[in-house]
Amino acid sequence: MDEASVRATAALPGIPRDEDGPVFREPWEAQAFAMALALHARGLFTWNEWAAALAREIKRAQAAGDPDTGETYYRHWLATLENLVAEKGVASSDTQHRYREAWDHAADRTPHGQPIELTPADFG
Amino acid sequence: MTDHDHDHHHHDHDHSELSETELRVRALETILTEKGYVEPAALDAIIQAYETRIGPHNGAQVVAKAWTDPAFKQALLDDATKAVSTLGHVSRVGDHLVAVENTPQRHNMVVCTLCSCYPWEMLGLPPVWYKAAPYRSRAVKDPRGVLADFGVSLPKETEIRVWDSTAETRFLVLPMRPEGTEGWSEQQLAELVTRDSMIGTGFPKTPGAPS
C-alpha cells in the first residue's frame, strides 16, 4: 500500500479490509475508493470531513433500513462522494444526473462487445 | 444459479449495459476528469495498486482444480461454462467461456476488446496496458515480441496461439502446473495462479519464490 492509502485506511476504520489492507468486491468499489483518494490529495476535503460525511450517509441509510453489513459500504461511499462533489460546488446533482443519463445513452448505442465511450452526442 | 438469473444473463445481447451504480461511477469520473480534479492515469495507478484485491478471483480456483482433478480438467476443456458452473460460482462470465490449455507445444494468449463484459470475476482486473490498442494489434502480429516484453520467453518450437475475446466468447488460459508442486492442495496451488498466467502473458508463480 502506498502512503496515501495507509493514511486513508487509518482515517476510515469502517473500511472493508483484511490484514493486508482494503478489499473490494467489485471493480467500481475500487474506482470509487480511488476517486476519494485523488480528491483528498487535491485538497477538496480532509479525512475528518470525509469521515463525518460518510457517517452521516450511513446513518441516513440505516434509518431507511440499510443493514450496513459491509456489502453496502461502498454504496454509501459513492453517495458521500456525490454529496461532497455537489456541496463543494464541483458539480451539482443535476449535472451529475445529466452525465449519468449520457453514459446510459452511450451504453445503449454501443454494440455488445465494444468498449463503451462517451461522446458529445450522448448528451441529448 | 436460478432460472431467473440465467435469463438475466442472456437478455439484450445486441447492446451494452451498465448498472445504475456503474453509471454513477462513470458519470462522476467523467465530471471530475473534465474539471481537472482527477487524472485518469492517477486513478489507474491507485486501482492498480489494489488489482489483486478486487473481486473473487474464481479463475485461480478453477485452474488449481484442473491441475489436481483430471476429470474436471477434461470437463473444463470440453465445456468450460458447464464445468465452472458445477463449482457453484455465481458469475455472469460463465457464459460462453472457453478454456485453452498450455502445453510444451503450444502457448495461448488472449486479447480482448475490454467491453463491459470483461471477465474480471474470473481473472481479476485487467492490467492497464491491456486497454491499449497497440497491445492488441501487436499481440496479433508479433506475439513472441509482446511476450518477450513481459519477460516471457518460450522455446522456439513452442507455437503461440492468440485468441481474440468477443462478446460471445471469453477465454481462460489453463497454464501448465509448475514443477515441484507434487502433493500440493488446491488451495496452495491457487495461490500460484496469477492473472497474467490466465491471459497468457505470464507464468504461474514458482514454488518457493517470493510473492
Side-chain angles (χ1 to χ4, degrees):
Chain A
M1 260 199 299
D2 62 79
E3 211 185 313
S5 306
V6 171
R7 279 203 304 271
T9 45
L12 303 162
I15 213 162
R17 54 173 300 154
D18 62 16
E19 64 276 15
D20 294 325
V23 290
F24 306 94
R25 289 162 55 249
E26 297 191 21
W28 72 262
E29 297 185 346
Q31 283 169 280
F33 174 79
M35 281 193 276
L37 247 59
L39 289 177
H40 172 265
R42 185 128 185 326
L44 195 70
F45 45 74
T46 65
W47 284 130
N48 281 343
E49 213 177 337
W50 171 266
L54 180 62
R56 273 199 305 278
E57 182 57 38
I58 290 174
K59 210 168 165 187
R60 196 197 56 73
Q62 280 173 340
D66 183 274
D68 196 29
T69 53
E71 302 244 315
T72 53
Y73 182 85
Y74 276 101
R75 261 190 263 159
H76 308 322
W77 182 283
L78 178 58
T80 304
L81 263 180
E82 290 169 340
N83 292 343
L84 281 176
V85 161
E87 277 170 32
K88 301 278 180 181
V90 178
S92 68
S93 54
D94 279 354
T95 303
Q96 296 181 33
H97 189 75
R98 211 158 49 80
Y99 274 77
R100 241 179 264 169
E101 299 272 293
W103 270 111
D104 199 20
H105 185 266
D108 266 351
R109 65 163 173 79
T110 303
H112 204 74
Q114 302 287 318
I116 306 169
E117 278 158 11
L118 194 66
T119 66
D122 291 312
F123 292 87
Chain B
M1 191 191 296
T2 66
D3 285 336
H4 173 79
D5 286 339
H6 196 70
D7 287 340
H8 178 74
H9 292 156
H10 280 282
H11 81 133
D12 274 347
H13 258 230
D14 56 332
H15 68 82
S16 304
E17 260 189 275
L18 295 169
S19 72
E20 183 63 26
T21 307
E22 286 167 327
L23 290 175
R24 286 167 62 190
V25 169
R26 284 193 188 223
L28 213 47
E29 192 174 328
T30 310
I31 291 170
L32 294 173
T33 304
E34 283 181 3
K35 292 190 176 271
Y37 279 86
V38 304
E39 294 275 343
L43 293 181
D44 276 347
I46 297 169
I47 292 165
Q48 213 177 356
Y50 291 97
E51 65 186 12
T52 61
R53 311 181 53 77
I54 300 170
H57 292 251
N58 296 339
Q61 294 162 37
V62 170
V63 168
K65 188 166 175 66
W67 282 346
T68 53
D69 179 344
F72 177 77
K73 178 178 161 185
Q74 194 53 53
L76 184 71
L77 295 173
D78 289 345
D79 184 343
T81 302
K82 209 164 128 194
V84 170
S85 72
T86 63
L87 297 181
H89 291 148
V90 180
S91 167
R92 66 191 160 101
V93 298
D95 298 335
H96 316 292
L97 185 69
V98 173
V100 287
E101 183 186 15
N102 283 352
T103 64
Q105 289 76 38
R106 192 169 87 179
H107 183 89
N108 298 283
M109 177 175 163
V110 182
V111 294
C112 166
T113 54
L114 277 188
C115 70
S116 53
C117 55
Y118 172 85
W120 59 266
E121 293 95 332
M122 290 290 273
L123 302 181
L125 277 204
V128 170
W129 45 260
Y130 208 62
K131 301 179 190 175
Y135 161 73
R136 194 183 150 75
S137 52
R138 238 192 101 210
V140 175
K141 273 184 272 177
D142 177 22
R144 208 169 279 274
V146 169
L147 287 175
D149 287 352
F150 291 120
V152 173
S153 63
L154 293 163
K156 275 202 171 57
E157 54 278 15
T158 302
E159 176 207 355
I160 301 174
R161 279 283 304 263
V162 177
W163 301 87
D164 198 348
S165 280
T166 64
E168 296 311 318
T169 312
R170 294 136 221 189
F171 295 95
L172 169 73
V173 174
L174 177 56
M176 287 192 282
R177 179 169 171 167
E179 308 268 340
T181 56
E182 292 74 22
W184 282 38
S185 71
E186 264 180 58
Q187 196 47 47
Q188 288 173 301
L189 288 167
E191 305 272 322
L192 300 177
V193 183
T194 60
R195 172 200 63 199
D196 288 4
S197 72
M198 292 185 284
I199 56 180
T201 57
F203 297 122
K205 286 184 240 170
T206 318
S211 58

